[in-house]
Amino acid sequence: MNEIYNKLTTLDFAIVAIYLVALLAIGYIASFRNKKKDETLFLASNSLNWYNIGFNMWGTNVGPSSLLAFASIGFSAGIVGGNFEWYAFVFLTLLALVFAPRYIASKVSTMPEFMGKRYGKSTQDILAGYALIKILISWLSLGLFSGGILVRQILGIPMWQSTIVLVAFSGLFTYMGGLKAIAKVNVFQMILLIIVSLALTFIGLQKLGGITALIDKTPSHFWNLIHPASDPGYPWHALLLGYPVSAVAFFCTDQSMVQSVLGAKNLKQGQLGVNFIGWLKVLALPMFILPGILCFALFPDLTDDKLAYMTMVTNLFPSGLNGLVICVLIAVLVATIGSSLNALSTVFTKDIYVNNMNPQATVQQQIKVGRYTVVAGCVLAVLMAIAFDNIQGKTLFDIFQSILGYLAPPLAVTFLLSVFWKRTTKLAVNVILSAGSAFSLLVGMLNLWILPPDAATGTNTWWPHYFLISFYIFAILFVAAILISLLDKNKVTAAIETAPLPKTDKQVKMLFALLGLVILTLYIIFNGH
């Protein structure tokens, strides 16, 4: 066994066992206390408060890849990874102030249903199929893959065993509870994550001698958010142009993220929840990135940046706390995999089964089909995670971001145009979601598997940065959608909302303005070093 397993004591195993039992108990109580069953598995009967929404969205966003990947970036490049958390403020604001009012006013439970109300059944069916592919790849499989890497580092067991154990527990939890259970438990999970992550940073700083000693032992460019255009890893123009494509698709159109807002008690609670996740993202530096930078200063001989997080845990935490670390890993894994399985079952049940196979399906039939979908999703996710484990030549973080970047352009184009340009036609939306998606995924396959760039051998180095590729695809599809809409003789445009859009409360606007001021201050502080 490896080093961290050898440090586990009876107390560690007891903590893990108690946590697992508590997790299942909370999920069971949260789901079955209310006898009304018709929406329990899907949107929690529109019962979520702002803190449930914020913690649930953050728990879905902060998967196991965050612990591993952000520490990896911190170890190799400093705080540049903060861009992926703080730049997100712009797109969280877009979700809260532009998209959320339209989603809630439409009274939909899925994103395909929203587009179906605007453009018709064919659009809903195409988007439902693509949404299933996106959830399965970018959420379930990649989340399970990164979680499997963490568990493999801890216990030293093969990837296939790690993924089966993780997905079985998460699938059981989702099968029993649905979104309401996941949302309720995420409050507990995320508090636990904050405590353990901040403790790791605090102990590391204490061991090193404080923040001044950390700055002295790291290169000055480690403390810059914006890197020069010549930087091979994260050039500023690639982040500026490419990240918005992924962020719009991720935060504004992704079922796994948006479903918590759809389950809000009202618009204000949904918007406050989105604002809350923005404040939680401010904590990314001390919780996720600083452990990697501290590892660079404390263990400069470490050669594999993927091991940065677990190296810190193994060497800094005393006996008894390792069990708590494993609990945190379980927390983020259940949050990510559970929410993804729930989103997968919601989209398949509502948009494919009910809409196309059995329009007269009873509530119990829908729940049954949703649970079968969870089981199928678990099996497929394990197989794909094992396949991802065989990809060579890219870091975990870059694999995650590049795949999302190739899935995102069709969604970003269609949703932005449907909201901001009323002349967008049904034909344009359907072509972009079908042919445009195929084009985007084909480019991704060429870049990642068929003709991957290899700096060591100098082959296929003509590829631009993956964020720039995503932006170029977005630009091509955006222009194509406009041309198709202008040339379309049968101009079927989006149905106009009959119900007036709910107004945004002044408190919500003030909180977003304050958050924006904090983000701007961070960008000023962490540049020019």
Side-chain angles (χ1 to χ4, degrees), residues 125-136:
D125 291 343
I126 294 172
L127 184 56
Y130 191 62
L132 285 173
I133 294 173
K134 184 175 183 294
I135 293 170
L136 181 63

Side-chain angles (χ1 to χ4, degrees), residues 5-29:
Y5 182 87
N6 293 332
K7 290 186 176 182
L8 295 179
T9 64
T10 303
L11 177 61
D12 294 319
F13 289 113
I15 291 174
V16 173
I18 293 172
Y19 177 80
L20 293 178
V21 173
L23 197 62
L24 287 175
I26 293 172
Y28 183 87
I29 294 171

Side-chain angles (χ1 to χ4, degrees), residues 196-398:
V196 172
S197 297
L198 291 178
L200 186 63
T201 298
F202 177 77
I203 295 172
L205 284 172
Q206 290 290 105
K207 185 177 180 64
L208 190 63
I211 191 69
T212 303
L214 176 62
I215 295 174
D216 291 339
K217 293 186 177 182
T218 52
S220 58
H221 72 269
F222 262 40
W223 304 99
N224 287 330
L225 284 167
I226 300 176
H227 285 200
S230 58
D231 181 60
Y234 305 99
W236 69 268
H237 62 296
L239 289 175
L240 180 66
L241 297 175
Y243 179 70
V245 179
S246 298
V248 168
F250 181 77
F251 292 111
C252 301
T253 76
D254 194 285
Q255 181 70 25
S256 295
M257 292 296 293
V258 176
Q259 65 183 358
S260 296
V261 179
L262 298 178
K265 284 185 176 180
N266 51 53
L267 175 63
K268 183 178 180 180
Q269 291 296 311
Q271 291 174 322
L272 289 176
V274 176
N275 181 263
F276 184 40
I277 187 181
W279 290 104
L280 290 172
K281 282 181 170 294
V282 174
L283 299 174
L285 179 58
M287 286 200 303
F288 305 134
I289 301 174
L290 271 184
I293 301 176
L294 284 165
C295 185
F296 176 87
L298 290 170
F299 308 101
D301 295 331
L302 184 67
T303 57
D304 188 355
D305 55 85
K306 292 181 181 179
L307 297 175
Y309 185 83
M310 293 313 302
T311 297
M312 290 286 287
V313 169
T314 303
N315 288 277
L316 297 187
F317 275 173
S319 177
L321 282 182
N322 288 319
L324 189 58
V325 174
I326 294 176
C327 288
V328 172
L329 300 182
I330 293 173
V332 294
L333 287 167
V334 171
T336 301
I337 299 171
S339 291
S340 302
L341 285 170
N342 197 78
L344 189 75
S345 66
T346 301
V347 172
F348 181 84
T349 303
K350 295 287 188 180
D351 293 309
I352 295 181
Y353 176 69
V354 174
N355 205 25
N356 293 284
M357 300 179 183
N358 188 4
Q360 305 302 320
T362 64
V363 172
Q364 294 303 320
Q365 285 177 319
Q366 292 181 43
I367 293 177
K368 187 176 182 179
V369 169
R371 287 173 172 167
Y372 286 151
T373 306
V374 167
V375 175
C378 289
V379 174
L380 291 173
V382 169
L383 295 176
M384 294 187 71
I386 295 172
F388 287 142
D389 192 39
N390 294 317
I391 295 178
Q392 303 293 328
K394 281 189 179 291
T395 66
L396 173 65
F397 189 84
D398 285 340

